[in-house]
Amino acid sequence: MSELVVLFVFCAILGNAVGFLAGLLGIGGGLVIVPILSMILLHFDVLPPEQVVVTAIATSLASILFTSTSSAIAHHKHGNVPWQLAPWVMLGVGLGALISGFMAALLPEHVVRWVFAVSVFAIAIKMLMGNKSTSTNARSLPNKAVLTTLTTLTGGLSAMIGIGGGAVLVPLLNFFSVDMKKAIGCASACGIVIALFGSIGYISAGAQHLALTDGFAGFVYLPALAGIVCTSWFSAPLGAKATQTLPVATIKKIFALLLVIMAVNMLLK
């Protein structure tokens, strides 16, 4: 029992940091949760090593359901959620997340781990490079069918690696001239949909492997989920508020360097 309490405390500390980053950068937090939670699960020998990464991804998505909700409410209050655009983006990411949640649970552990690490590395490089385009030509949003297709791919990748989609969705929307704060707000709202449908896939696929009596809902580890959510819900609005004052671009570059380190660590271990 004492080990379970320590695990809960570790996850609560993790959730506090993740919630703030979710609000500040428009990410669901999975980029941080998955590698760190994987280490926590391995340290406490919660389940076999070959199931650790997929469990961390599933638990990350489930926690993002709460974190993104808190973050989206805060961004809505600041007027940063473009509701005329969000429903079409949500449709795509929800469909992609539902399909991906089932697929990722069926893939070998090393494949999921490599997909996560390579995706995170690519996201980190994009963050480090920033927006290098000097073109002043505004790009209009594509038609609804094309936008839904693009966001379906975004939602699928996000659910497969256990993130809320902001790290992929924000650059996509910003590419089409959506204001950065609006893009972050939209990503926060869409993170709810990705987390919901992705979690459904992971819970359904994991039900035959892990038991509720052992603390699992499918591949979602409930004690870790409770620890992360109990702090991330409250810290996400603080991050959203901080977007109004902190140098987000600089923070993204620092965060990107940390992502590179975590991606390399995931590949090596």
Side-chain angles (χ1 to χ4, degrees):
M1 177 62 71
S2 60
E3 282 197 351
L4 189 60
V5 172
V6 176
L7 182 147
F8 179 88
V9 171
F10 281 178
C11 290
I13 295 171
L14 172 61
N16 190 58
V18 162
F20 186 81
L21 288 172
L24 180 67
L25 304 179
I27 63 172
L31 295 172
V32 178
I33 293 175
V34 174
I36 295 179
L37 182 56
S38 293
M39 290 188 287
I40 293 174
L41 295 175
L42 282 172
H43 176 76
F44 287 97
D45 197 24
V46 173
L47 70 173
E50 62 271 14
Q51 293 180 326
V52 162
V53 175
V54 70
T55 298
I57 289 173
T59 305
S60 170
L61 276 178
S63 71
I64 288 167
L65 180 60
F66 298 90
T67 306
S68 288
T69 298
S70 178
S71 178
I73 291 172
H75 279 291
H76 171 71
K77 290 179 179 178
H78 290 294
N80 288 337
V81 181
W83 289 112
Q84 75 281 4
L85 171 65
W88 296 102
V89 180
M90 287 178 173
L91 175 64
V93 297
L95 178 61
L98 183 61
I99 296 171
S100 182
F102 284 99
M103 288 180 56
L106 299 175
L107 294 173
E109 181 273 341
H110 69 277
V111 173
V112 177
R113 180 159 47 86
W114 271 86
V115 169
F116 176 86
V118 172
S119 299
V120 169
F121 188 80
I123 291 168
I125 294 301
K126 173 63 178 175
M127 285 185 175
L128 284 171
M129 291 176 61
N131 184 11
K132 299 295 184 181
S133 175
T134 57
S135 175
T136 58
N137 296 327
R139 302 182 185 90
S140 60
L141 283 165
N143 62 56
K144 293 179 176 64
V146 173
L147 181 62
T148 301
T149 300
L150 291 173
T151 53
T152 297
L153 297 174
T154 299
L157 175 62
S158 300
M160 181 169 286
I161 63 177
I163 66 175
V168 183
L169 193 56
V170 170
L172 175 65
L173 294 177
N174 196 234
F175 176 81
F176 289 115
S177 303
V178 176
D179 176 75
M180 180 60 77
K181 290 181 180 179
K182 300 288 186 183
I184 291 174
C186 185
S188 296
C190 290
I192 302 171
V193 180
I194 293 174
L196 175 61
F197 286 95
S199 295
I200 290 172
Y202 280 105
I203 291 172
S204 300
Q208 57 185 329
H209 300 286
L210 299 167
L212 183 61
T213 52
D214 294 325
F216 292 90
F219 282 114
V220 177
Y221 188 46
L222 298 177
L225 173 62
I228 293 169
V229 169
C230 76
T231 52
S232 64
W233 176 270
F234 300 101
S235 59
L238 298 178
K241 185 177 182 180
T243 60
Q244 311 298 318
T245 55
L246 293 181
V248 176
T250 301
I251 293 171
K252 276 194 174 184
K253 288 180 170 57
I254 297 171
F255 180 63
L257 290 173
L258 295 176
L259 290 182
V260 171
I261 294 171
M262 286 188 286
V264 171
N265 181 67
M266 180 72 79
L267 289 177
L268 294 178
K269 297 185 179 181

